Amino acid sequence: MKNLSMHKITLQTFIIIIASFSLSFIIISSFLKQNEQVNKFYENIKLTVEVVNDVLVNDFEKAIINYSFSDINPSFISMTNPIKSSNNELIKKFFAINIFYIGKKNNYLYFKIINKDIIKYLKLDLIHFLDIHFSNLDLNFNYYITDNNNIFVYGNKSFYEKYNNIQYIKDIYKIKSFYTTKLDFFKINNKPLLKIYVFFKPSIFDFPLNYIKTFLFSIILTIIISLIYHFYLFRFIMFKFNLNKELIKKITLNSIIEKEDDFEIIDTSIPEFNELFQDFFRIINTLKLPLKNALSENKKLRANITKTEKENLAILTFLSTFKKFLYGKNNYRTFDLTIKRLNEELPFESELLKQNLNNLFNKLSIKIIEIENIKNNYYSQLEILFNIIGSMSEIKEYDVTHNILMGKISYYLGEKLELNEIQLKSLYYGAKIHDLGKIFIPDKILLKNGKLNNEEWNIIKKHPKYGLIILNNLKIYPFLNIGKIIISHHEKWNGKGYPYGLSEKEIPLEGRIVSIVDSLIALITDRPYRSAYSYEDALKIIELESGKSFDPELVSILLKHKNQIKNIIEQELNKK
């Protein structure tokens, strides 16, 4: 086959589309012809029904006139007793006669006739009336008649029973091989008293086989034309096209780099396709040298990235390990082993980083030892200082053991609540000097055997504020966090404490801990106005105050670990 341009292929495709469209148009036209036949049949039926309707209405009106002005009584109309009904609708007026429609009952239509001052009630026998008019008609369709409430009156009852539930949303409704329509019937002065349902089958449906044959022939012809076009034209084009496509599929980065000569196309006999593939392979051949250079540079870059990643990881690991050591999560031995492992894992090219890390480790080790010595000395001095301050604040009421137990039990509860090291240290020292402000309370009030009066009690309530004033200017650790313990250890869970009436989580956690520990130790200690409670009785009293004076969660933790806390108390008392 000679070479074909895309223009020629497009032209041939357009001709085939026109041919297919023409065939489709013939088929569609035949169906439109069918629809035209249906519409004509519908119009004829509609006209027939209107003619019959006019005849029925005329006969009805004549019968009413004869009944009113003469002695002629039609067989389908008879007198009836007066009927009481709110539905008296005037449907016709001629001469002096007014016809009112009352309603339908048992295949009878009821009317009220007023002729001047004479009122008569009549009933129309629908079956007899319709039978007179329809029995002699030769209709080419089936039908049935209902009242306006869809109750069967006359006609083909089998059709009524089968199709009376159809919802008519348009004039003509198709059911299998025939059509149906609904029309107003027996209209008197545009008031339809009945409905007629018509079922018809146009003559065009007598020859469905012809349409089926035409449709099948068109499909077969279109398929044959398409197959010829595909096998004799498209297959030729796609064969050469697919050869080039398979060649392109086999092209990989490695094949481009490894191939010594240039890629060449397979001729497709279509200039546009040949030009497309030539441009593609020209670009591929042009990229061969840059790709080789890029691959070489990529290998070097990946080596440098790997080295940098290892060095960055080593630095991060060093800093992380040092941070953990600094905060007491790792010991010095773990820190040392981590540095040695990093030196082993770093590549040979990172020798400078190894030296720097080792030098930094050696310097940090010296500083760490110095800091540890300072830190140990600092905490030793703090322990002495807070023991002295605590003893000063409690010496009038308790012995030294009271403050030691306050610190140890508070620290123990803080551990169970998983507080960090700084919080635990602050809690420990704050518990020891929680009543620092009592050094300003007169002995006659502080050591009074009897009940305090209101004035004395108001003075006692000021001691948390006095203690906070003493620490107000100390902004260094751990004094910075101790102030909230001193000011809040007499607040109550229900908001009835002092000095500020804080409640629930408004009270700092450390203050809630010291409050419950202070109450426990006070209950098991002799006071000027009462003897000490037993440890078990003291726990019962605290349990009763859960949710009132004390945090329910802390009370639960205290009771859960009551045996361990009892051991702390006994060990300290045995040292006396």
Side-chain angles (χ1 to χ4, degrees):
M1 183 179 286
K2 63 179 182 179
N3 289 353
L4 295 173
S5 67
M6 289 302 295
H7 176 72
K8 291 181 180 179
I9 294 173
T10 305
L11 181 60
Q12 291 179 3
T13 304
F14 181 75
I15 293 171
I16 291 172
I17 291 172
I18 292 296
S20 300
F21 176 80
S22 299
L23 292 173
S24 301
F25 181 79
I26 293 170
I27 297 171
I28 293 170
S29 296
S30 66
F31 281 105
L32 289 175
K33 189 68 175 177
Q34 174 181 308
N35 290 334
E36 182 181 347
Q37 292 291 331
V38 171
N39 290 331
K40 285 183 178 180
F41 207 100
Y42 168 74
E43 292 299 328
N44 290 334
I45 290 172
K46 190 175 178 182
L47 181 60
T48 301
V49 171
E50 288 176 357
V51 170
V52 174
N53 179 84
D54 292 341
V55 172
L56 262 68
V57 171
N58 287 334
D59 288 353
F60 171 73
E61 291 176 355
K62 287 179 181 178
I64 295 297
I65 293 171
N66 291 332
Y67 196 90
S68 300
F69 293 101
S70 67
D71 296 331
I72 301 173
N73 294 327
S75 59
F76 49 82
I77 292 180
S78 59
M79 288 285 291
T80 184
N81 295 325
I83 299 171
K84 292 183 179 180
S85 174
S86 59
N87 184 25
N88 291 330
E89 184 179 358
L90 178 64
I91 60 172
K92 190 71 174 179
K93 181 177 182 180
F94 51 88
F95 304 116
I97 299 173
N98 292 320
I99 302 175
F100 292 86
Y101 176 64
I102 298 175
K104 174 185 171 293
K105 182 178 180 182
N106 297 332
N107 291 327
Y108 286 94
L109 295 181
Y110 289 85
F111 300 90
K112 181 169 71 172
I113 309 299
I114 301 177
N115 185 5
K116 296 181 180 179
D117 296 331
I118 301 171
I119 299 176
K120 295 181 181 181
Y121 290 89
L122 306 179
K123 63 179 179 179
L124 174 66
D125 186 343
L126 277 176
I127 304 298
H128 188 193
F129 182 62
L130 294 173
D131 200 40
I132 291 172
H133 293 85
F134 276 91
S135 60
N136 296 322
L137 293 177
D138 184 15
L139 302 175
N140 59 347
F141 53 82
N142 287 302
Y143 67 93
Y144 65 81
I145 299 172
T146 69
D147 62 14
N148 290 330
N149 294 322
N150 201 29
I151 298 174
F152 180 80
V153 174
Y154 187 81
N156 193 324
K157 193 164 186 178
S158 62
F159 273 72
Y160 170 77
E161 292 172 348
K162 192 172 183 180
Y163 302 114
N164 69 338
N165 291 324
I166 293 175
Q167 299 294 325
Y168 289 84
I169 58 176
K170 51 187 178 180
D171 291 337
I172 304 175
Y173 189 84
K174 191 174 186 304
I175 305 175
K176 296 182 180 178
S177 62
F178 57 87
Y179 292 83
T180 180
T181 185
K182 179 180 72 171
L183 300 168
D184 291 335
F185 193 60
F186 198 33
K187 293 191 292 184
I188 302 176
N189 200 22
N190 292 325
K191 167 67 178 179
L193 304 184
L194 301 174
K195 302 286 184 183
I196 184 167
Y197 297 81
V198 178
F199 299 83
F200 61 95
K201 184 177 181 181
S203 59
I204 196 165
F205 282 103
D206 293 337
F207 310 98
L209 188 60
N210 293 333
Y211 287 96
I212 294 173
K213 287 179 180 179
T214 304
F215 180 71
L216 291 176
F217 178 77
S218 300
I219 290 178
I220 293 170
L221 185 60
T222 304
I223 291 173
I224 291 172
I225 294 173
S226 299
L227 289 174
I228 293 172
Y229 177 76
H230 176 73
F231 283 104
Y232 285 92
L233 181 62
F234 233 79
R235 284 293 293 267
F236 170 78
I237 295 172
M238 295 308 298
F239 176 73
K240 297 292 185 68
F241 184 88
N242 287 333
L243 289 177
N244 283 284
K245 189 170 71 173
E246 291 300 321
L247 179 60
I248 292 173
K249 284 183 178 179
K250 294 177 181 178
I251 295 176
T252 62
L253 185 60
N254 290 331
S255 67
I256 294 173
I257 296 171
E258 294 172 359
K259 189 173 176 60
E260 297 297 332
D261 54 343
D262 291 341
F263 291 94
E264 294 182 356
I265 71 163
I266 299 170
D267 186 67
T268 63
S269 301
I270 300 176
E272 285 84 353
F273 284 176
N274 288 339
E275 185 179 352
L276 174 65
F277 289 123
Q278 283 173 355
D279 289 342
F280 176 78
F281 286 121
R282 187 184 303 114
I283 294 171
I284 294 297
N285 293 328
T286 305
L287 290 174
K288 285 173 64 177
L289 183 60
L291 283 173
K292 289 181 179 179
N293 295 334
L295 185 63
S296 176
E297 292 295 327
N298 185 51
K299 289 180 179 178
K300 295 179 182 178
L301 181 61
R302 287 172 64 184
N304 289 332
I305 290 174
T306 302
K307 172 177 172 289
T308 304
E309 286 178 346
K310 290 183 178 180
E311 289 180 347
N312 289 339
L313 180 61
I315 294 170
L316 290 173
T317 305
F318 178 90
L319 294 174
S320 176
T321 307
F322 175 69
K323 181 180 177 182
K324 289 179 180 179
F325 170 69
L326 195 63
Y327 285 98
K329 295 183 178 179
N330 287 337
N331 53 29
Y332 181 79
R333 176 63 177 165
T334 304
F335 189 26
D336 185 28
L337 290 174
T338 301
I339 300 305
K340 290 179 179 179
R341 179 173 57 79
L342 289 177
N343 284 327
E344 294 173 357
E345 292 177 354
L346 281 171
F348 174 78
E349 297 84 356
S350 303
E351 190 62 34
L352 179 61
L353 178 62
K354 292 181 183 179
Q355 293 178 4
N356 290 335
L357 289 178
N358 285 327
N359 291 336
L360 182 59
F361 173 72
N362 292 332
K363 291 179 180 179
L364 286 174
S365 297
I366 296 171
K367 292 296 181 182
I368 287 167
I369 293 171
E370 293 176 354
I371 290 171
E372 282 297 314
N373 290 335
I374 295 171
K375 183 178 175 182
N376 291 334
N377 184 55
Y378 177 71
Y379 281 125
S380 176
Q381 296 299 323
L382 277 180
E383 186 72 23
I384 296 170
L385 174 63
F386 277 94
N387 282 337
I388 293 171
I389 295 173
S391 298
M392 288 173 58
S393 63
E394 301 283 6
I395 195 167
K396 297 177 182 180
E397 292 184 277
Y398 305 101
D399 56 18
V400 178
T401 306
H402 177 84
N403 287 329
I404 296 173
L405 287 175
M406 283 294 301
K408 288 187 174 182
I409 297 174
S410 297
Y411 191 92
Y412 178 81
L413 292 177
E415 286 182 322
K416 298 306 172 185
L417 290 167
E418 299 181 353
L419 301 183
N420 60 43
E421 183 182 0
I422 294 176
Q423 289 175 312
L424 288 172
K425 286 288 185 183
S426 298
L427 179 61
Y428 175 76
Y429 292 125
K432 282 194 166 190
I433 64 168
H434 67 285
D435 275 334
L436 178 62
K438 285 186 177 179
I439 62 177
F440 295 103
I441 305 301
D443 291 351
K444 64 178 181 179
I445 296 175
L446 191 64
L447 303 176
K448 185 177 180 180
N449 290 329
K451 184 177 180 181
L452 299 176
N453 58 39
N454 290 337
E455 184 180 354
E456 293 169 336
W457 182 238
N458 288 331
I459 293 172
I460 286 288
K461 286 182 179 180
K462 293 179 180 178
H463 81 270
K465 293 184 178 180
Y466 293 155
L468 185 63
I469 291 171
I470 296 174
L471 297 179
N472 191 40
N473 294 322
L474 298 175
K475 304 296 183 181
I476 60 172
Y477 170 81
F479 296 99
L480 194 61
N481 294 326
I482 290 174
K484 62 183 178 182
I485 296 175
I486 292 175
I487 196 65
S488 67
H489 73 279
H490 279 296
E491 299 286 358
K492 293 186 178 182
W493 185 258
N494 58 9
K496 296 182 179 180
Y498 63 87
Y500 297 116
L502 302 178
S503 64
E504 298 185 3
K505 296 298 177 66
E506 293 177 344
I507 309 169
L509 176 60
E510 293 88 341
R512 284 179 268 150
I513 294 172
V514 170
S515 174
I516 196 170
V517 175
D518 188 27
S519 297
L520 174 64
I521 297 173
L523 288 169
I524 62 174
T525 304
D526 288 326
R527 302 300 298 272
Y529 51 86
R530 63 159 174 78
S531 299
Y533 289 95
S534 67
Y535 182 70
E536 288 72 18
D537 290 340
L539 290 177
K540 290 179 182 178
I541 293 172
I542 289 175
E543 187 176 8
L544 289 174
E545 288 297 312
S546 176
K548 299 176 183 176
S549 297
F550 308 120
D551 184 344
E553 182 182 354
L554 294 180
V555 173
S556 298
I557 295 173
L558 179 71
L559 296 175
K560 181 179 179 181
H561 300 281
K562 62 183 180 180
N563 293 332
Q564 293 86 335
I565 294 172
K566 186 176 182 181
N567 291 335
I568 294 172
I569 295 171
E570 290 176 348
Q571 289 174 6
E572 199 59 42
L573 292 176
N574 291 334
K575 291 180 182 179
K576 288 186 177 182

